[in-house]
């Protein structure tokens, strides 16, 4: 795909641009209300060029979900290397929040606005929850009480909760992350 200045993007840059534009359109118009042609038009390319990188809209979403799952896997590996202690939940929670980008916020907005499509696409939210459960299993002592597990879950669900509450408020990504950090801080202490 050509850039405005005549330079061509690398394959990875093109894939990132497709994912970014598609996510924006899926969030604004809905997954079902956005066609491959819409995405190609917004990128200034053809459907054929887009199909070279992604065979379908579902493949675009799957690649975004895979990236976030890889982030969770990275967090899990990091947690496994840490010394277990009372501050591990706090450190892990802030490490997780430190990975949040505009694209990730957009992905969460998409998932919230397109729950039926996400469910049909394979329950990506369930995969996220099982990934967080795996992280929590390493952080907490074996046999931790239900209340402790739910507290840990709440810590990791704070960003989606803030995003849900802030929907239609006009809050920026920076404000959403800041509020989520404040809420996590209130649950686990400074970090």
């Amino acid at each position: 795909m050509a850039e405005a200045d005549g330079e061509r993007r690398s394959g990875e840059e093109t894939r990132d641009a497709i994912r970014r534009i598609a996510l924006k359109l899926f969030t604004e118009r809905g997954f079902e209300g956005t066609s491959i042609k819409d995405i190609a038009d917004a990128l200034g390319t053809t459907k054929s060029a887009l199909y070279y990188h992604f065979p379908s809209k579902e493949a675009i979403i799957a690649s975004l979900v895979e990236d976030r799952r890889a982030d969770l896997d990275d967090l899990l590996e990091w947690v496994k290397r840490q010394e277990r202690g009372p501050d591990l939940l706090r450190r892990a929670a802030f490490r997780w929040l430190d990975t949040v980008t505009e694209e990730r916020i957009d992905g969460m907005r998409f998932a919230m606005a397109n729950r039926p499509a996400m469910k049909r696409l394979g329950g990506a939210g369930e995969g996220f929850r099982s990934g967080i459960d795996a992280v929590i299993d390493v952080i907490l002592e074996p046999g931790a009480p239900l209340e402790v597990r739910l507290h840990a879950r709440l810590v990791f669900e704070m960003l989606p909760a803030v995003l849900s509450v802030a929907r239609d408020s006009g809050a920026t990504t920076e404000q959403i992350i800041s509020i989520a950090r404040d809420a996590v801080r209130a649950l686990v202490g400074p970090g």
Side-chain angles (χ1 to χ4, degrees):
M1 283 181 234
E3 292 286 304
D5 60 8
E7 291 184 28
R8 296 187 65 80
R9 296 180 181 127
S10 71
E12 192 58 37
E13 289 170 333
T14 299
R15 285 178 57 84
D16 287 344
I18 291 168
R19 291 165 13 136
R20 193 173 43 257
I21 293 295
L23 191 56
K24 179 179 183 288
L25 293 174
F26 293 157
T27 302
E28 290 172 358
R29 301 178 184 178
F31 183 77
E32 302 300 333
T34 304
S35 68
I36 288 290
K37 182 179 181 332
D38 294 333
I39 298 166
D41 288 349
L43 286 162
T45 191
T46 64
K47 289 185 345 183
S48 298
L50 196 141
Y51 281 129
Y52 176 80
H53 297 281
F54 292 101
S56 65
K57 295 188 307 182
E58 291 80 2
I60 297 170
I61 295 304
S63 74
L64 292 164
V65 170
E66 287 170 21
D67 283 354
R68 197 56 173 158
R69 184 57 198 229
D71 293 337
L72 258 177
D73 291 343
D74 290 345
L75 178 65
L76 178 60
E77 290 308 310
W78 179 85
V79 167
K80 287 178 178 178
R81 293 189 306 270
Q82 304 306 303
E83 185 173 324
R84 197 179 253 162
D87 70 331
L88 184 53
L89 176 61
R90 178 187 53 76
R91 289 185 291 128
F94 285 109
R95 184 177 183 90
W96 182 243
L97 284 172
D98 288 344
T99 68
V100 177
T101 63
E102 183 80 35
E103 182 179 306
R104 291 201 180 104
I105 292 287
D106 289 345
M108 292 167 64
R109 284 184 175 123
F110 162 78
M112 289 175 175
N114 293 276
R115 291 187 195 278
M118 291 300 289
K119 187 173 184 174
R120 194 181 73 253
L121 293 171
E126 294 306 315
F128 174 79
R129 280 189 272 292
S130 67
I132 289 296
D133 284 340
V135 169
I136 291 170
D137 288 343
V138 175
I139 292 172
L140 299 181
E141 296 292 330
L146 177 61
E147 295 83 3
V148 173
R149 287 195 67 77
L150 291 176
H151 181 266
R153 161 68 68 181
L154 181 59
V155 167
F156 284 101
E157 294 284 350
M158 194 52 64
L159 183 62
V162 171
L163 188 58
S164 180
V165 170
R167 187 184 313 191
D168 302 330
S169 70
T172 66
T173 296
E174 293 78 21
Q175 290 169 318
I176 289 166
I177 294 169
S178 177
I179 293 165
R181 290 183 75 80
D182 289 347
V184 168
R185 193 174 294 112
L187 289 171
V188 297

